[in-house]
Amino acid sequence: MKRRNFLKNSSLTAAGLVSASAVAACRTENKPEEAPAVATTSVDPIKPIVVCTWNFLNATDKAWEVLKSGGTSLDAVEQGVMVEEADETNETVGKGGRPDRDGHVTLDACIMDKDGNCGSVVYLQNIVHPVSVARKVMEETPHIILAGKGAEKFAYEQGFKKEDLFTESTRKQYEEWLKTSKYETTINIENHDTIGMLAIDANGDLSGACTTSGMAYKVGGRVGDSPIIGAGLYVDNEVGGATATGVGEEVIRTVGSFLIVELMRQGKSPQEACEEGVKRIMKKNEGRKDFQIGFLAINKNGETGGYCVHPGFTYREYSENGHVNREVKSFYS
């Protein structure tokens, strides 16, 4: 049932709009191919273009394929991040993601289109592609967020298949972890990767998606910024979009992605906005060095920028100018 029919047949008169967003830190597949770059600065719009957190070149390659064939930015970001959700060697996204401390692999994802429509799932189990379930929430219900068993039941109703998300590798790692059950946040390794992706299509329209399995061995039920609209992801088709990676709790506290888009609305470049976003977080955490945050942003002109707490965060960019992995500057150099 399409959203408009659902609304027509229900007693609801309007669906509330939720704000918040996301983050989490991730792996790099290859060494950066260019010297550190803080932003693209072309005056003329660059369309189409796709960017994602970290060096997920296969994801941006797929998204670019969609854009170059005339597809929408919404299709591009969904299909792009689905590559990582299906990659069993990526142990922080989708199938093969590491479990919580109770042994459950739980996934979070959200998606947002050019019109401000959005959908999200949190603490979803047994489904490989949470981003696609999030899109179904956006398009087929009057809601924005579905959680836990309700989200899983909805996924089955929409035709998604139940699948064990453990791999042999992650199961063995979990069994080894149980020997000490020690939990600690790590920086720039695959403890809490996220892939956040932003794209502009040939029509100049923006969309974004974000997906993760969250922090490894987290407390059961924990949800970070990744599926929270405004925290881990935010898109405004008049201005631009932003996404985050790293320790989601710190991104949520500043509604980070929304903040960055609003700073761009006020005239800041994507680079300047990302820097301000990180500095806002560090002002609330003066002296702390035990966590990573990385922001990525793109504006309506196709200019991009990124900034992070610690060195090591990169983002992948694919446009008519090429396919590159960009290092970003950091608060602590």
Side-chain angles (χ1 to χ4, degrees):
M1 182 184 296
K2 297 297 182 184
R3 177 190 289 265
R4 59 180 177 272
N5 293 331
F6 191 109
L7 285 167
K8 181 178 180 181
N9 295 330
S10 72
S11 60
L12 297 174
T13 59
L17 182 64
V18 174
S19 274
S21 63
V23 165
C26 113
R27 62 171 184 163
T28 303
E29 299 178 35
N30 297 318
K31 290 187 179 295
E33 300 165 4
E34 290 193 346
V38 297
T40 54
T41 56
S42 173
V43 175
D44 296 324
I46 303 173
K47 308 186 280 195
I49 183 173
V50 58
V51 293
C52 79
T53 55
W54 304 98
N55 192 20
F56 291 122
L57 72 165
N58 293 328
T60 46
D61 188 62
K62 178 61 179 180
W64 181 252
E65 179 184 312
V66 174
L67 294 173
K68 287 300 288 182
S69 66
T72 66
S73 57
L74 185 64
D75 287 339
V77 296
E78 179 189 13
Q79 293 184 40
V81 301
M82 284 174 67
V83 170
E84 292 305 317
E85 290 178 336
D87 183 357
E88 296 180 17
T89 67
N90 183 343
E91 296 180 346
T92 62
V93 177
K95 185 168 184 178
R98 285 184 277 188
D100 61 22
R101 62 186 58 187
D102 298 323
H104 303 300
V105 181
T106 64
L107 307 179
D108 306 320
C110 70
I111 196 165
M112 191 168 188
D113 72 9
K114 65 183 179 63
D115 297 315
N117 298 312
C118 46
S120 170
V121 290
V122 301
Y123 210 69
L124 178 65
Q125 299 181 50
N126 302 311
I127 303 295
V128 175
H129 292 298
V131 72
S132 297
V133 182
R135 182 169 178 175
K136 287 293 186 180
V137 173
M138 177 179 75
E139 295 178 340
E140 306 292 338
T141 83
H143 309 307
I144 290 177
I145 300 175
L146 293 183
K149 292 299 181 183
E152 186 177 351
K153 179 183 177 183
F154 172 76
Y156 297 145
E157 291 171 349
Q158 294 296 314
F160 291 86
K161 304 301 181 183
K162 185 174 183 178
E163 190 168 341
D164 184 3
L165 299 180
F166 262 111
T167 61
E168 182 179 353
S169 174
T170 52
R171 194 178 298 279
K172 287 181 178 179
Q173 289 179 57
Y174 176 63
E175 291 170 355
E176 186 65 26
W177 178 82
L178 284 173
K179 295 177 182 179
T180 60
S181 297
K182 183 180 179 181
Y183 178 78
E184 56 186 359
T185 300
T186 53
I187 297 172
N188 280 345
I189 65 171
E190 294 184 15
N191 179 45
H192 45 282
D193 286 3
T194 296
I195 177 170
M197 181 174 284
L198 304 163
I200 302 176
D201 58 31
N203 294 321
D205 291 324
L206 287 112
S207 296
C210 191
T211 182
T212 187
S213 58
M215 292 182 173
Y217 318 127
K218 62 197 174 189
V219 173
R222 180 265 182 185
V223 174
D225 67 304
S226 297
I228 308 300
I229 303 299
L233 177 74
Y234 195 73
V235 172
D236 186 318
N237 206 42
E238 294 180 350
V239 180
T243 188
T245 184
V247 178
E249 284 78 0
E250 301 307 324
V251 178
I252 291 172
R253 289 187 178 105
T254 58
V255 199
S257 293
F258 177 79
L259 168 64
I260 288 170
V261 172
E262 286 304 296
L263 289 169
M264 290 193 293
R265 184 190 300 278
Q266 295 168 19
K268 289 186 181 294
S269 70
Q271 182 62 36
E272 292 168 337
C274 287
E275 291 183 11
E276 177 64 23
V278 169
K279 289 173 183 177
R280 294 277 184 99
I281 289 174
M282 298 315 296
K283 188 173 182 180
K284 296 177 181 294
N285 292 276
E286 190 171 354
R288 280 190 63 188
K289 295 185 177 182
D290 61 344
F291 68 95
Q292 172 71 307
I293 297 292
F295 283 120
L296 169 61
I298 187 170
N299 67 14
K300 191 71 171 176
N301 293 329
E303 297 172 332
T304 66
Y307 196 67
C308 57
V309 176
H310 293 278
F313 173 57
T314 70
Y315 68 90
R316 173 63 63 163
E317 178 181 314
Y318 206 157
S319 72
E320 293 177 352
N321 294 332
H323 194 193
V324 297
N325 187 45
R326 299 192 183 280
E327 287 183 344
V328 305
K329 292 182 177 180
S330 58
F331 186 84
Y332 294 115
S333 58

